[in-house]
Amino acid sequence: MSDFYGYPTCHLSSQFLELDCLETAGPRIVRLHYKGSPNLLAEVPQLSIPTPYGNYRYLGGHRLWHAPEAMPRSYIPDNEGLTIAELPDGLILDGKTELGTGIHKRIEIHLNPDHPTVTLIHTLSNEGLWDVEISPWALTMFRLGGIVILPTQGRKNSTNDLLPNRHFSLWPYSHINDPRLLLEDDFILLKAKPNLPSFKIGALNSQGWIAYWLDGILFRKSFDVYLDLTYPDFNCNSETYCDSDFVELESLAPLIKLVPRDSVCHIETWELFDTLEQDFLPEKLIDRLSE
């Protein structure tokens, strides 16, 4: 696996996990294997979108963006200019400062040798001349065929029954009666099926994780939650998007006014399991996912 559809890659591995990152483009993680599994991440080299700066290629896998989403700001091509530094337990993927936005992206990867765990430190730096209101936004594209698990506040997680304690956001192309969507009291579930229109939903998630159950493997990404701060997209820190090619698990940091020469970080921890029997999943939900 020396390249990814024409892009050279570099490799990280432990006794549990194998990761491939693009070597000259990105920063991007394009392959994730757990105990010899097929690539869990989506591979979509055929997908691109035109922008005033050239075509943005999705390629697949995990990437770092900045919210709120906008055209062309979110879609600055990243096909070249990446530099890589080795760490004792991983890599630093250092992208090229974006033309037009002045935003510089970096992903620091730490692979745990003793557990199927990866820590990702996502950094956005403002190399421009003006303040920018921004939120680090980490997106991981997976193969279809699984089920997304997005926790919500919980029906009983409230000290005042007179006020609402949960909300979710829908995008203009999302239908509330989408057959892939299942709303539970404490969770939003999304079945990642092919040949259906685009759908996206987000929520303010106090649990600080979002997961995907695929081919008998449970992937969970965890992140810090700041309930007293404001997030993009009607205050969402967790989102999932699905179309006919891939499904996406997304986490967001709070919005911040980033002044020139300053940076902001967003940390994710990835964990992989080969069973649903986990303390963070209630028995009722495990039964539903096992159907």
Side-chain angles (χ1 to χ4, degrees):
M1 292 187 293
S2 60
D3 76 328
F4 184 84
Y5 300 96
Y7 289 90
T9 63
C10 51
H11 188 71
L12 287 174
S13 64
S14 70
Q15 59 180 314
F16 303 101
L17 300 176
E18 293 184 65
L19 286 78
D20 283 314
C21 309
L22 296 186
E23 203 170 79
T24 58
R28 197 79 59 95
I29 300 171
V30 292
R31 294 189 182 103
L32 174 64
H33 303 269
Y34 175 55
K35 294 183 178 180
S37 74
N39 187 12
L40 298 172
L41 304 180
E43 300 180 17
V44 288
Q46 75 281 7
L47 298 182
S48 65
I49 185 170
T51 82
Y53 300 93
N55 282 351
Y56 178 84
R57 298 189 66 189
Y58 286 92
L59 295 177
H62 179 80
R63 67 192 188 278
L64 171 61
W65 271 8
H66 38 93
E69 186 172 3
M71 174 60 77
R73 193 190 76 174
S74 302
Y75 296 85
I76 305 297
D78 57 359
N79 299 320
E80 59 183 8
L82 185 79
T83 59
I84 295 180
E86 293 188 5
L87 300 170
D89 60 349
L91 296 169
I92 295 176
L93 310 179
D94 204 359
K96 182 180 178 181
T97 299
E98 291 180 343
L99 184 66
T101 72
I103 300 300
H104 188 98
K105 299 175 181 176
R106 187 176 84 161
I107 301 179
E108 188 173 321
I109 306 169
H110 297 271
L111 181 60
N112 191 318
D114 302 316
H115 301 279
T117 304
V118 185
T119 300
L120 303 177
I121 303 173
H122 306 85
T123 303
L124 296 177
S125 301
N126 183 2
E127 303 296 338
L129 300 176
W130 298 277
D131 297 355
V132 179
E133 188 174 49
I134 204 169
S135 164
W137 180 17
L139 307 93
T140 313
M141 303 166 75
F142 286 92
R143 290 190 285 110
L144 298 175
I147 301 176
V148 178
I149 309 161
L150 198 169
T152 63
Q153 282 284 91
R155 185 172 62 89
K156 296 181 180 179
N157 187 17
S158 175
T159 57
N160 185 351
D161 286 347
L162 300 179
L163 296 176
N165 73 329
R166 289 165 289 172
H167 81 272
F168 56 83
S169 298
L170 291 175
W171 272 248
Y173 48 80
S174 301
H175 293 285
I176 201 167
N177 62 346
D178 191 293
R180 294 165 290 190
L181 180 65
L182 297 171
L183 297 179
E184 299 283 348
D185 286 334
D186 302 316
F187 293 89
I188 295 169
L189 302 180
L190 184 67
K191 295 182 177 180
K193 296 181 178 181
N195 304 317
L196 287 168
S198 298
F199 178 85
K200 185 169 183 177
I201 190 169
L204 182 61
N205 168 6
S206 63
Q207 302 300 307
W209 60 266
I210 183 171
Y212 189 50
W213 174 241
L214 174 68
D215 295 345
I217 298 170
L218 182 64
F219 170 96
R220 180 172 80 153
K221 64 162 67 182
S222 303
F223 44 88
D224 289 336
V225 177
Y226 304 92
L227 295 177
D228 56 336
L229 300 178
T230 301
Y231 290 87
D233 303 335
F234 296 160
N235 211 30
C236 293
N237 65 354
S238 303
E239 298 170 358
T240 181
Y241 169 87
C242 189
D243 63 19
S244 59
D245 295 293
F246 62 88
V247 63
E248 216 161 43
L249 273 64
E250 309 172 8
S251 72
L252 300 98
L255 286 163
I256 184 173
K257 183 170 285 188
L258 196 62
V259 302
R261 303 295 180 259
D262 204 358
S263 299
V264 59
C265 292
H266 175 57
I267 300 175
E268 284 188 344
T269 299
W270 293 2
E271 303 167 277
L272 290 97
F273 312 89
D274 49 18
T275 174
L276 283 169
E277 305 293 330
Q278 305 300 324
D279 292 342
F280 55 86
L281 294 180
E283 185 175 343
K284 178 182 177 182
L285 181 61
I286 294 173
D287 291 341
R288 170 64 70 89
L289 293 171
S290 301
E291 292 175 354

